[in-house]
Amino acid sequence: MRLSPIPPLVLASASPRRLDLLRQVGLEPAEIDPADLDETPAARELPRAYALRMARSKLAVVMPRHPGAVVLAADSVVVCSRRILPKAETEAEARVCLGRLSGRRHRVLGAVAVGFPDGTVRTRLVETVVRFKRLEPAELDDYLRSGEWRGKAGGYAIQGRAARFVDFLSGSYSNVVGLPLFETVQLLKSAMP
């Protein structure tokens, strides 16, 4: 009996957190090829639809560049009161995001899209609920000085200093870090012969 070779895995993301998470479960991408997209939500676009659109769009850009590979694309979206919070690029953006999250529950939507060599695409959307304690001004200022918020959805990194703000989490922790591992591994398993 002849086994088919396992196709190479391409990660369509520049996120070091996603790469670390994949390595944590023993997956090493053969290549990293991030998609460069406009990530602005469309007018009246709902958070779930936005997260899935972003993951699928990244996949659509990268997949044609890697025939014969399994391509993994993902997107993380932080949602507070139906509002999609940005990936904070400035301290002012991070301050607004963290102010909205202070003392409240929010959702982290993790969309995963996997493209297979035969052209099949499978997606999953994972939702995790997180609640922050009420942030005191000194805590907020200290966190902002750390710079850890830069480029992070909702302006925080749960795996870093922001862990001290979390008083409740329901769902996938790795989803909040950047990739829902259980669901991603299940999708990737379907590509194995």
Side-chain angles (χ1 to χ4, degrees):
M1 176 160 98
R2 228 170 140 185
L3 294 175
S4 304
I6 296 172
L9 175 64
V10 174
L11 177 60
S13 174
S15 167
R17 284 149 307 284
R18 287 192 183 114
L19 180 58
D20 288 345
L21 287 166
L22 286 173
R23 287 175 171 160
Q24 182 179 316
V25 293
L27 294 171
E28 184 68 42
E31 195 170 340
I32 296 171
D33 184 6
D36 185 23
L37 295 176
D38 176 4
E39 295 192 26
T40 306
R44 296 190 196 114
E45 187 171 29
L46 296 175
R48 290 170 154 292
Y50 169 73
L52 284 167
R53 178 174 67 84
M54 285 292 96
R56 287 180 183 132
S57 296
K58 291 173 183 178
L59 184 66
V61 167
V62 175
M63 202 168 151
R65 300 193 295 231
H66 301 278
V70 173
V71 180
L72 168 63
D75 198 62
S76 300
V77 178
V78 175
V79 181
C80 188
S81 298
R82 298 184 189 171
R83 177 178 292 191
I84 297 170
L85 298 183
K87 290 180 180 162
E89 297 300 334
T90 67
E91 187 175 308
E93 280 181 326
R95 185 177 293 279
V96 168
C97 288
L98 294 166
R100 285 197 169 107
L101 299 176
S102 178
R104 301 177 70 188
R105 283 185 184 215
H106 62 278
R107 296 177 295 141
V108 178
L109 304 175
V112 180
V114 178
F116 301 96
D118 66 0
T120 303
V121 172
R122 293 194 176 102
T123 60
R124 284 292 301 269
L125 183 70
V126 177
E127 181 174 321
T128 304
V129 176
V130 181
R131 184 177 63 219
F132 273 17
K133 70 182 216 64
R134 184 162 305 282
L135 303 180
E136 298 184 20
E139 290 176 305
L140 178 56
D141 291 341
D142 179 59
Y143 187 71
L144 292 171
R145 276 192 300 276
S146 77
E148 187 179 80
W149 49 267
R150 195 173 310 281
K152 307 289 190 311
Y156 75 94
I158 195 170
Q159 72 278 15
R161 294 178 180 198
R164 67 185 182 204
F165 304 151
V166 178
D167 71 357
F168 174 85
L169 185 141
S170 177
S172 170
Y173 173 82
S174 68
N175 183 45
V176 184
V177 176
L179 188 67
L181 282 176
F182 176 79
E183 293 79 4
T184 300
V185 169
Q186 296 308 305
L187 283 174
L188 291 171
K189 271 186 179 179
S190 64
M192 303 306 165

